[in-house]
Amino acid sequence: MVTPAPLLLVAPTRLGRVERGAARWWCAALLLSLIAALGLSETSARPAAELLHDSIVAAIRHGGHYYDTFRDLARTAPDGEDARSLPPTLAVVSAAVPNAAMLLLVGAALAGLVAVGVQRLAALFAGAAGQVLAALLLVAGTAAVALLWEQTPHAGWAALLAAYAVLLRRAERWGTAAALGCAAAVIDPAALLVPAVMAIFALHDGSARETLGWLVALAVGGAVLGCHLWAIAAVVPPAAETLPTLLAPPGALPRLLGAALPGVAPGLAAALLLLALLGWAALPRALGPRVVALVLAGLAADGRVAGLHSATLAAALVAPGLALAPDAIADLLRGAPGRRRITVTRVTR
């Protein structure tokens, strides 16, 4: 029996090894999920603009102190309660750097993400068609992060650095990725999920050194958050906390759709997200499961990590997953209608 060649990838997906019965169940589940996703009526949403952040940056540039400024402005700012969990890292850096230099820095970081992503994804595809498709979708994901940064700088930087950390991580070269994950957590505590998820996978792979590296990044981010919350509580006492709900907050999925696929109708965006997750999950490499885990963990923990939104952490990686979906679907369709194969052996006497 000759194994059919993949459509775009260099190797068959995980779904190519699925048995006939399981492939049929997968096809039925995928069809029903796509129908349900297309019927999504809830509108996509973007994270609220960080008005207080801009005011604090302007005050620091004129000689103000972060915590004193926060105490004076948080009472009247509409996003004051949400901003109390954000450390002063990004505000201090933004105040020390001119606006033009910050724009250049963001532009360079976005261009670097495209370069790193194209280099990592190009090795997955056999021909130029798949490589070009993946590159274009990666550019679309990077542009979505740029729009996210424009409205919500903390979430934008967290999504940008999280994408860097996931794409740069390799089995023997994880140090830079761990450092970038740590930087994301120091800027936006919602990104503490990045080193946490990566540490779990490293532990599963049996890499003690990598696990320790990600745990150190997690500890640094947690220590920065703890020190900040202690300092902010001294100037602005926290309000009474409410118990979190058992399920993900209702706005988590719309936030992810609005950040990763801006301008796309909610139903279509949900269907594209489902296909992207299928593509990443079917990828027979370590990269795919890590992306899926980050997306799902971000949705499940949205609003729980320091009360911040984590649904947008993987915003840059949703669109590129669509380039992997055709092979995943093709492998399912090949396996689903397969007939029982009978081997005939001719014996010559």
Side-chain angles (χ1 to χ4, degrees):
M1 183 182 64
V2 179
T3 303
L7 293 179
L8 299 175
L9 299 177
V10 296
T13 67
R14 300 176 190 270
L15 299 178
R17 301 188 294 268
V18 175
E19 298 294 334
R20 180 181 60 176
R24 291 179 175 178
W25 281 107
W26 271 95
C27 288
L30 177 62
L31 180 60
L32 293 176
S33 300
L34 288 175
I35 294 174
L38 289 172
L40 181 69
S41 59
E42 192 173 5
T43 58
S44 300
R46 300 277 299 279
E50 296 180 351
L51 303 177
L52 183 57
H53 169 75
D54 297 335
S55 301
I56 291 177
V57 170
I60 294 177
R61 284 176 176 170
H62 290 83
H65 187 270
Y66 178 86
Y67 291 103
D68 293 338
T69 304
F70 185 92
R71 178 192 58 203
D72 297 336
L73 299 179
R75 299 188 183 96
T76 58
D79 58 332
E81 189 60 31
D82 295 334
R84 67 176 294 114
S85 298
L86 295 170
T89 312
L90 185 59
V92 172
V93 173
S94 300
V97 177
N99 289 331
M102 179 58 69
L103 290 176
L104 289 176
L105 177 61
V106 173
L110 293 170
L113 178 61
V114 173
V116 169
V118 167
Q119 182 180 12
R120 183 69 189 274
L121 296 178
L124 303 177
F125 295 90
Q131 294 173 355
V132 171
L133 176 61
L136 292 176
L137 290 172
L138 179 63
V139 170
T142 306
V145 172
L147 295 176
L148 178 64
W149 170 84
E150 184 181 11
Q151 184 171 5
T152 314
H154 286 86
W157 274 111
L160 180 60
L161 294 174
Y164 265 114
V166 174
L167 292 174
L168 283 175
R169 183 267 166 199
R170 295 179 184 271
E172 301 299 330
R173 290 182 291 173
W174 49 265
T176 303
L180 291 170
C182 179
V186 169
I187 290 175
D188 188 346
L192 288 169
L193 286 176
V194 176
V197 168
M198 301 296 274
I200 293 174
F201 275 96
L203 183 63
H204 177 268
D205 294 341
S207 177
R209 293 184 61 185
E210 183 182 355
T211 303
L212 180 60
W214 288 110
L215 290 178
V216 169
L218 181 63
V220 171
V224 170
L225 174 62
C227 294
H228 166 70
L229 292 179
W230 176 80
I232 207 72
V235 295
V236 181
E241 297 183 359
T242 58
L243 294 177
T245 57
L246 295 179
L247 300 176
L253 180 59
R255 268 190 293 274
L256 174 59
L257 297 179
L261 301 167
V264 181
L268 180 58
L272 293 177
L273 173 63
L274 185 64
L275 292 175
L277 290 177
L278 176 67
W280 282 118
L283 185 67
R285 302 281 183 101
L287 176 62
R290 284 168 168 79
V291 174
V292 175
L294 185 60
V295 173
L296 298 181
L299 289 173
D302 189 77
R304 288 180 170 81
V305 183
L308 298 173
H309 298 308
S310 59
T312 59
L313 280 176
L317 302 173
V318 171
L322 294 173
L324 309 171
D327 279 85
I329 296 175
D331 285 342
L332 280 179
L333 294 179
R334 290 189 187 113
R339 298 177 179 176
R340 186 182 302 275
R341 296 178 177 84
I342 302 176
T343 302
V344 178
T345 304
R346 178 179 298 177
V347 179
T348 303
R349 296 183 179 181

